[in-house]
Amino acid sequence: RYKLDIVSCKRNYLRVRKAIISGFFLHAAKKDPQEGYKSLVQGQVVYIHPSSSLWQVQPEWVIYHEVVLTTKEYMREVLCIESKWLRELAPRLFVETDPNQLSKRKQREKINPMHDRRAQNQDDWRLSKRMKPKR
């Protein structure tokens, strides 16, 4: 209909993976140290579906096609990617930052421990209930 030339990538699968990333970059997820994966855009905790070939591999970065809700939220049609490809193919959404610098929002979210101002050592944590020493 459009008379376009058919061009093959032969055995260069990297081109195919980058083409999928350029369309599904909003479905990127990073491995979470506590549990499963966290989607980068929504911050949703998701897991690789057990029927996937990547289920045992557990790569650091993935792109998924859909999320299926069963006992957990599972990613289906998962593709292993590298983080630098996200910065390369979607530069407006993904930028490289210095991991040592926190944004102002993250600095406000930082949890500071509460101290007991009457304690002799200020590194002691403040407790809601204290046991009174027996006399």
Side-chain angles (χ1 to χ4, degrees):
R1 179 175 175 179
Y2 296 106
K3 298 181 182 174
L4 298 174
D5 293 334
I6 297 175
V7 179
S8 174
C9 69
K10 307 268 190 253
R11 293 196 179 269
N12 188 359
Y13 300 117
L14 184 62
R15 282 183 168 177
V16 176
R17 291 166 72 187
K18 285 188 175 184
I20 293 171
I21 292 169
S22 65
F24 286 95
F25 60 87
L26 291 176
H27 292 185
K30 184 179 188 312
K31 185 143 180 61
D32 190 30
Q34 278 88 26
E35 57 180 344
Y37 288 82
K38 241 187 193 165
S39 64
L40 296 183
V41 176
Q42 297 172 342
Q44 173 183 12
V45 176
V46 289
Y47 300 89
I48 294 179
H49 197 272
S51 66
S52 174
S53 62
L54 292 177
W55 188 58
Q56 295 292 333
V57 178
Q58 298 289 318
E60 186 69 23
W61 292 87
V62 294
I63 292 278
Y64 59 91
H65 176 257
E66 64 181 346
V67 174
V68 177
L69 179 62
T70 57
T71 55
K72 297 179 183 176
E73 293 187 2
Y74 287 110
M75 300 179 284
R76 302 265 322 256
E77 290 84 33
V78 181
L79 175 70
C80 178
I81 65 166
E82 293 183 25
S83 62
K84 65 181 179 182
W85 296 345
L86 290 171
R87 292 189 305 269
E88 178 185 326
L89 299 168
R92 290 188 176 194
L93 189 61
F94 301 103
V95 293
E96 189 172 4
T97 59
D98 184 15
N100 297 327
Q101 292 181 344
L102 293 174
S103 66
K104 289 181 182 178
R105 182 178 65 87
K106 291 286 186 182
Q107 287 174 355
R108 284 193 303 265
E109 289 178 2
K110 190 174 178 184
I111 299 172
N112 293 321
M114 298 176 71
H115 298 288
D116 185 358
R117 51 192 156 132
R118 293 180 195 88
Q120 294 173 352
N121 184 3
Q122 286 301 313
D123 290 331
D124 291 341
W125 287 85
R126 182 170 161 191
L127 302 173
S128 58
K129 292 185 180 179
R130 291 194 175 203
M131 303 271 305
K132 293 184 179 178
K134 293 184 180 182
R135 298 180 187 193

